[in-house]
Amino acid sequence: MRDQDPASGRPGRRLSTKETAELLGVKPETVYAYVSRGQLSSRREPGGRGSTFDAEEVAALARRNRREGGASPGAGGELSVRTRITLIDKDRYFFRGVDATELAARHSYEEVAEWLWTGRMRPGITFTAPEPTVAVARRAVGALPEHTSPTDRLRVAAIAAAAEDPLRFDLSEEAVLSTARVLIPTLVAALPPQPFAHLTDGPLAHRLWGRLTGREADEDTLRVLDTALALLADHDLAASTLAVRVAASARAHAYAAVSAGLGVIEGPLHGAASGLAHRLLLDVLDQGTAAPVIADELRAGRRIPGLGHRLYTGEDPRARVLFDLLEQVPRAEPALLAARDIVATTARHAPLHANVDLALAVFTVATGMPATAGETVFAVARTAGWIAHALEEYGERPLRMRPSGHYVGPRPPQPMPE
C-alpha cells in the first residue's frame, strides 16, 4: 500500500493505519484521534478493511508535531513536553543549564526565580506586594476556619489577589512577570503570623519564617530556609506543574494556573509528603530508635515517607544540600540522627536513599515548626517554577495539552438503561 518512503510526501501516496502510526510515533488509536480533531483525513479504499491516509498530509503532521514540541498523545504511553526550564539527569538537576544546587547555594530564592523566568540574574532582588493586594488576600484568608490547611489558605489568597487585579488576563511576558513578583510575596503575607514572629521584612525567606514558627531565627536557619525555597523552585514536569501547564494551555491567567498547581500538591505523594516524614521523625525521636517505628509503618501497610525518588537512583541532590546545611545547625542534630537511623534501618531490606521530604522534615522538626510547614515551603517555592512553566506554555499553541482518551468501556450501541 506504500512505496519505499512514507515520509516522502509524494502526491497520491496512501498509508495504512499501522504505517501512519509508526511514522507519527503514536499508537493506532491516536491516529483516529487526529482524524476526529480534523488534523488528518482518512479514506476507505474499495474492498479494503481499514482506512488509509495521505502520505503528504501525514508527513506534514509529523513535521508540525516535531516543530511544536507538543505531546504526542499515546507515544510511549506518556506525555512528553519540550521545555527549556529544568533538566534532571544522572542524579543531578539543572535550571536553564546551570546546576540547580549550585544556584541555590550562591543565590537567594528571588534571584533563582528570576533566573527561571528570564534566564537573567538580578542580584539583590526582593519581591514585594502592594498593600491593597495584601489586604484583600488577608481578609479572604482570615475568613477561613481556624483548622484550614496552609495550602487552602494559599489557594484562597491567590484567588483573592486575582480578583483584585483587573489586568490579570494580560498574558504578555511583562505582565505575567509583574504578576509573579506580586503574587509570591502576597501568598506569604496572607498566611497568619506565628506568635512572637519578629521578621516582617527583608528577603522572602525572612518573611516566610514568621509564618512558620515563632522561634527566634539565626543566620544558619534562615539560610537553610532560603536554600530550600531555591532548591524546590522547580523539578521538571511534576504532577502540579503539569496541571499548571494544562491551565496555561487553555490560556488561564497566571493566578488561575498557580491555583491549579496548589490544588494538586495537597496529595500525600506530592507536596504533603514532608508532613508525613515530619510525624515519622517525631515518632522516632519519641521512641529513641527507628526500628519499632519502621516496623509499625510496614505492618500497617504504609510506605516509609522521605525515602526514595523515581527520578534519582542515588540520593536526592536537594536532600544532600539541605543535610549539609543542617549539619551547621546545632539544634538539628537530634533530628538528623533520627533521619539517618530511618535510612539505615530501612536499608537493611530496601536500599532507598533520603529524599528532599525527609530533609525538609529534619528542618521543620529542628526549628519547632508544625508538620504542615514543609508543605507551605514547598508550595511557596514551587510557585516560581509554575510561573516559569506557565510563561513557556503561553508561547505554545493553545490547547495543545489534549491527550486522547483510550476508551475501554462497552462498545456502542448499548440499550437504553431501564
Side-chain angles (χ1 to χ4, degrees):
M1 199 172 287
R2 67 168 189 172
D3 284 349
Q4 294 180 356
D5 185 9
S8 63
R10 290 168 58 185
R13 196 81 52 178
R14 306 296 299 179
L15 306 177
S16 70
T17 301
K18 180 180 178 183
E19 292 164 335
T20 301
E22 289 174 352
L23 181 60
L24 293 173
V26 299
K27 296 178 180 179
E29 318 74 277
T30 305
V31 173
Y32 292 101
Y34 283 129
V35 173
S36 68
R37 295 180 204 153
Q39 294 172 282
L40 274 181
S41 57
S42 64
R43 186 175 79 197
R44 273 192 184 275
E45 297 294 338
R49 290 185 298 175
S51 299
T52 63
F53 304 84
D54 182 84
E56 185 174 8
E57 190 178 38
V58 173
L61 178 60
R63 288 193 298 271
R64 189 161 65 248
N65 282 348
R66 288 193 296 270
R67 182 172 63 251
E68 291 171 348
S72 294
E78 295 185 357
L79 196 67
S80 176
V81 179
R82 287 199 314 183
T83 176
R84 295 179 175 86
I85 300 170
T86 300
L87 169 68
I88 299 175
D89 183 49
K90 297 177 182 177
D91 290 345
R92 298 176 68 190
Y93 73 121
F94 305 84
F95 291 160
R96 295 191 179 274
V98 179
D99 189 300
T101 60
E102 294 183 13
L103 273 173
R106 300 180 186 182
H107 295 279
S108 71
Y109 167 69
E110 290 100 319
E111 291 169 349
V112 171
E114 287 286 338
W115 175 255
L116 282 173
W117 298 338
T118 68
R120 298 185 296 274
M121 189 56 67
R122 297 182 62 185
I125 186 171
T126 57
F127 299 154
T128 56
E131 187 52 42
T133 302
V134 171
V136 166
R138 281 178 174 164
R139 282 199 301 273
V141 169
L144 296 172
E146 188 176 346
H147 63 267
T148 303
S149 74
T151 304
D152 281 336
R153 296 180 193 276
L154 293 172
R155 190 158 53 237
V156 168
I159 294 169
E164 172 69 11
D165 184 2
L167 305 179
R168 61 188 178 277
F169 293 104
D170 184 348
L171 303 185
S172 65
E173 181 177 349
E174 182 179 357
V176 173
L177 287 173
S178 178
T179 294
R181 295 172 186 132
V182 167
L183 175 57
I184 294 176
T186 298
L187 295 178
V188 172
L191 293 171
Q194 296 297 307
F196 312 114
H198 61 286
L199 293 173
T200 57
D201 53 14
L204 192 85
H206 292 207
R207 285 170 274 159
L208 180 59
W209 178 274
R211 264 65 189 174
L212 301 174
T213 179
R215 286 192 182 181
E216 192 81 18
D218 55 42
E219 185 178 340
D220 288 336
T221 49
L222 287 172
R223 184 185 177 200
V224 174
L225 179 56
D226 188 48
T227 303
L229 289 167
L231 290 169
L232 291 164
D234 193 52
H235 206 235
D236 195 33
L237 284 182
S240 57
T241 305
L242 179 58
V244 168
R245 292 199 76 129
V246 171
S249 177
R251 296 305 183 255
H253 53 70
Y255 300 94
V258 168
S259 294
L262 288 168
V264 174
I265 67 165
E266 280 199 286
L269 301 182
H270 199 11
S274 65
L276 300 178
H278 177 108
R279 295 181 183 93
L280 183 74
L281 272 177
L282 290 180
D283 287 344
V284 173
L285 287 168
D286 184 57
Q287 294 273 358
T289 178
V293 178
I294 297 298
D296 287 345
E297 291 292 307
L298 295 176
R299 185 178 185 179
R302 293 188 291 263
R303 64 188 295 271
I304 308 303
L307 299 178
H309 197 289
R310 63 185 295 268
L311 297 180
Y312 300 115
T313 56
E315 188 176 40
D316 185 332
R318 302 167 297 176
R320 185 169 59 248
V321 172
L322 291 179
F323 283 140
D324 286 346
L325 289 177
L326 287 163
E327 292 275 4
Q328 303 167 32
V329 179
R331 65 177 118 160
E333 184 178 6
L336 273 172
L337 292 173
R340 290 179 185 139
D341 193 9
I342 290 170
V343 174
T345 302
T346 310
R348 298 175 192 175
H349 301 289
L352 297 174
H353 297 273
N355 63 33
V356 72
D357 298 314
L358 188 59
L360 263 184
V362 170
F363 173 67
T364 55
V365 167
T367 51
M369 295 178 183
T372 55
E375 184 178 341
T376 306
V377 173
F378 183 96
V380 171
R382 191 55 55 89
T383 302
W386 292 337
I387 293 291
H389 282 273
L391 274 168
E392 195 171 62
E393 194 59 39
Y394 291 146
E396 301 287 352
R397 67 178 165 84
L399 294 174
R400 67 179 186 138
M401 295 289 182
R402 177 59 171 87
S404 300
H406 178 49
Y407 180 73
V408 294
R411 298 305 304 172
Q414 293 288 317
M416 287 292 292
E418 295 294 334

